[in-house]
Amino acid sequence: MTQAYRNLPSVDKLLALPELKELADVLPQDTVTSLVRHQLDSARAAIKGGAEAPGSKALAAAVVEHARDLWHPRPQPVINATGVVIHTNLGRAPLSGDALSAIRRVAEGYSDLEYDLAEGERGSRHSHVEELLRQLTGAEAAMVVNNNASAMLLALSSLATGREVIVSRGEAVEIGGGFRVPEVLSQSRASLVEVGTTNRTYPRDFENAITPQTAAFLSVHASNFKVVGFTNAPELADLVTLAHQHELLLLHDLGSGCLLDTAEYGMAHEPTPQESIAAGSDVALFSGDKLLGGPQAGIAVGKAEVIQRMARHPLARAVRIDKLSLAALMATLVHYLKGEATEKVPVWAMIASTNEELQERAAIWARTVGKRGTAIQGESTVGGGSLPGETLPTWLLALDAEGIPGGAAELARRLRKGTPSVVARVQDEKVILDPRTVSLDEEPQLLDAVSVALA
Ligand SMILES: *Cc1c(COP(=O)(O)O)cnc(C)c1O
């Protein structure tokens, strides 16, 4: 083993190799030296584990690879062929062309982000977006923050800290990524009062739990799971009435900010912010990058007095939205204002794709791929903690992996590791690609990537 350590080249010897001299043309010498030291440390650790000493060439190659990996742009684009429209791990909602231009316009130079151009004085970053959100949801007031989790934290911290919040036991849930309703409540120093049972809760359960310490009722949309069978949840409007009779607030976490009626697309009806406001919620909270189809953002719409309390809380500054997301969010909301969301907002264009379009695309893909490809019927899902259990009928390209060592899992891995990277599903020993979540622009690259992976 000691001999193996001695066989390792010195830092200086490695730095003198042509590959690493070339690397030093791109990176500062200190950085190259530090990468070399790091590689030698890894080699020593490997020797300790029983490995042989790597040669100088192998070490230099590893240093170059490590450097390339460091400067490789990330997150890198991938083609989402999973058919999951809002895929949280793949960045949720792709943005519309107008939203992208809006980001570019404000990113390139200065903007009136917090400046009133008419008065020539400080303005509010919320005033324009608030007007749009009022138009779209019917709410008196609105504000936007970093994401829905922070909207929830801000709402509870500013409206219920030190007091009790009543939640149905079936809604004290985990949304995903460690976001748990009870933990957000405790973080905001509000105490959770759970009422009812996991499957059945009635307005009287809420009423019986009211104390002088109660600040609000919280209703959380079960966005990523479904309780079926013997169930009951109170109607939102009934909870609102009860809350207001007792001078309490009704906070509604909608999860997905769905402004359109999902039932028109053959799915279950997803509650909308408009309905929540019409039912009398004091504040309704939702995400910008789920069914709204915009950038990451948390949106709060509701009563003017309630939104004002949120906006004045010190946390509001800590969770404020950045100008790029704000620009993209406004552009996305304008698509709804103009009634063009199903054409212009990518998430809705995907949901609205017709069976005929999808069948035709899957058939063309199958023909291009040749004997390993077949067009089959299947299902896409909305995902992103929206419409659990709901699917949309689609057409898929199924790739036969027979004879490929490692089978369908290996073929899917080749697609992921290809350029561009393609993420697909594996089902019944076949690799499945869904045209619903692949844009027409991505199609030629996708088909090339498939032919490379099959070669
Ligand atoms: C997704 C979701 C959240 C968290 O929203 P982010 O925008 O991801 O922070 C909160 N509540 C519900 C019900 C959700 O579905």
Side-chain angles (χ1 to χ4, degrees):
M1 201 195 278
T2 8
Q3 189 54 45
Y5 287 124
R6 262 188 237 121
N7 287 346
L8 282 175
S10 68
V11 172
D12 286 340
K13 188 170 165 224
L14 284 171
L15 288 174
L17 291 174
E19 302 86 305
L20 295 188
K21 282 192 168 148
E22 254 171 56
L23 190 60
D25 291 340
V26 189
L27 291 180
Q29 187 62 56
D30 285 354
T31 310
V32 180
T33 307
S34 149
L35 289 171
V36 165
R37 291 222 162 89
H38 174 86
Q39 208 57 54
L40 284 168
D41 286 344
S42 309
R44 278 188 209 100
I47 291 168
K48 203 169 172 194
E52 297 280 311
S56 299
K57 282 280 165 202
L59 282 162
V63 169
V64 171
E65 197 185 308
H66 186 187
R68 291 223 170 99
D69 190 53
L70 280 175
W71 75 57
H72 185 79
R74 288 220 173 69
Q76 65 175 14
V78 307
I79 295 179
N80 173 14
T82 63
V84 181
V85 177
I86 303 163
H87 198 305
T88 295
N89 301 146
L90 302 183
R92 289 197 182 158
L95 298 177
S96 74
D98 287 359
L100 296 176
S101 319
I103 290 179
R104 194 177 172 101
R105 271 199 311 274
V106 294
E108 254 167 1
Y110 299 101
S111 64
D112 67 345
L113 179 67
E114 288 185 353
Y115 191 70
D116 183 329
L117 291 174
E119 301 297 328
E121 58 189 36
R122 195 195 150 101
S124 149
R125 77 172 57 203
H126 286 117
S127 53
H128 295 289
V129 75
E130 177 169 30
E131 187 57 37
L132 260 178
L133 285 164
R134 281 168 42 184
Q135 281 295 330
L136 293 169
T137 65
E140 280 174 24
M143 71 179 290
V144 289
V145 294
N146 180 59
N147 60 0
N148 192 26
S150 49
M152 175 90 138
L153 183 65
L154 177 61
L156 290 167
S157 303
S158 52
L159 306 171
T161 205
R163 301 187 59 195
E164 291 169 1
V165 174
I166 306 178
V167 186
S168 163
R169 198 172 301 277
E171 296 181 359
V173 297
E174 173 170 322
I175 308 299
F179 180 83
R180 293 176 152 189
V181 171
E183 288 169 11
V184 180
L185 271 152
S186 74
Q187 192 63 40
S188 56
R189 289 189 281 120
S191 8
L192 166 69
V193 178
E194 278 183 60
V195 297
T197 60
T198 309
N199 57 333
R200 302 200 127 203
T201 303
Y202 302 91
R204 64 167 184 275
D205 296 320
F206 280 78
E207 187 156 32
N208 292 341
I210 296 172
T211 74
Q213 282 312 304
T214 310
F217 294 170
L218 172 65
S219 173
V220 182
H221 179 52
S223 52
N224 56 359
F225 68 102
K226 218 169 173 171
V227 184
V228 293
F230 188 62
T231 63
N232 189 71
E235 290 292 329
L236 185 65
D238 294 340
L239 282 187
V240 167
T241 307
L242 191 59
H244 292 172
Q245 271 168 11
H246 294 267
E247 292 181 7
L248 304 174
L249 296 174
L250 189 296
L251 319 184
H252 188 193
D253 177 12
L254 284 154
S256 202
C258 183
L259 292 169
L260 302 180
D261 184 5
T262 46
E264 280 180 26
Y265 300 88
M267 296 175 288
H269 177 71
E270 179 81 3
T272 66
Q274 305 88 291
E275 290 160 2
S276 180
I277 293 302
S281 293
D282 293 288
V283 60
L285 311 169
F286 51 96
S287 290
D289 55 354
K290 291 183 179 172
L291 279 170
L292 193 76
Q296 179 185 306
I299 300 164
V301 294
K303 306 270 163 68
E305 184 264 334
V306 173
I307 297 293
Q308 211 168 65
R309 277 164 71 189
M310 287 174 63
R312 288 202 185 126
H313 191 276
L315 253 188
R317 170 61 202 266
V319 298
R320 80 176 180 189
I321 189 166
D322 82 293
K323 63 178 182 180
L324 306 187
S325 305
L326 184 60
L329 180 64
M330 297 265 311
T332 306
L333 293 172
V334 168
H335 292 313
Y336 289 92
L337 186 77
K338 292 185 177 167
E340 59 185 22
T342 34
E343 300 95 69
K344 297 277 183 77
V345 176
V347 159
W348 281 97
M350 290 174 196
I351 291 173
S353 306
T354 65
N355 216 36
E356 294 73 56
E357 285 161 7
L358 295 163
Q359 179 171 18
E360 195 186 320
R361 291 177 66 195
I364 294 171
W365 290 10
R367 245 177 285 137
T368 314
V369 167
K371 63 180 192 321
R372 282 198 185 269
T374 331
I376 59 166
Q377 277 181 288
E379 268 145 13
S380 324
T381 55
V382 175
S386 313
L387 299 160
E390 293 292 322
T391 57
L392 295 161
T394 192
W395 280 82
L396 307 160
L397 169 66
L399 295 176
D400 181 3
E402 218 175 282
I404 295 175
E410 168 58 18
L411 183 54
R413 195 195 65 87
R414 283 190 208 163
L415 285 168
R416 286 197 305 275
K417 298 295 286 175
T419 314
S421 186
V422 175
V423 184
R425 277 190 281 162
V426 173
Q427 199 176 298
D428 303 330
E429 261 313 294
K430 291 201 163 32
V431 172
I432 307 285
L433 301 124
D434 189 335
R436 186 186 297 277
T437 49
V438 178
S439 73
L440 291 174
D441 291 345
E442 289 170 331
E443 235 174 54
Q445 291 175 286
L446 170 93
L447 293 171
D448 283 348
V450 169
S451 90
V452 170
L454 286 173

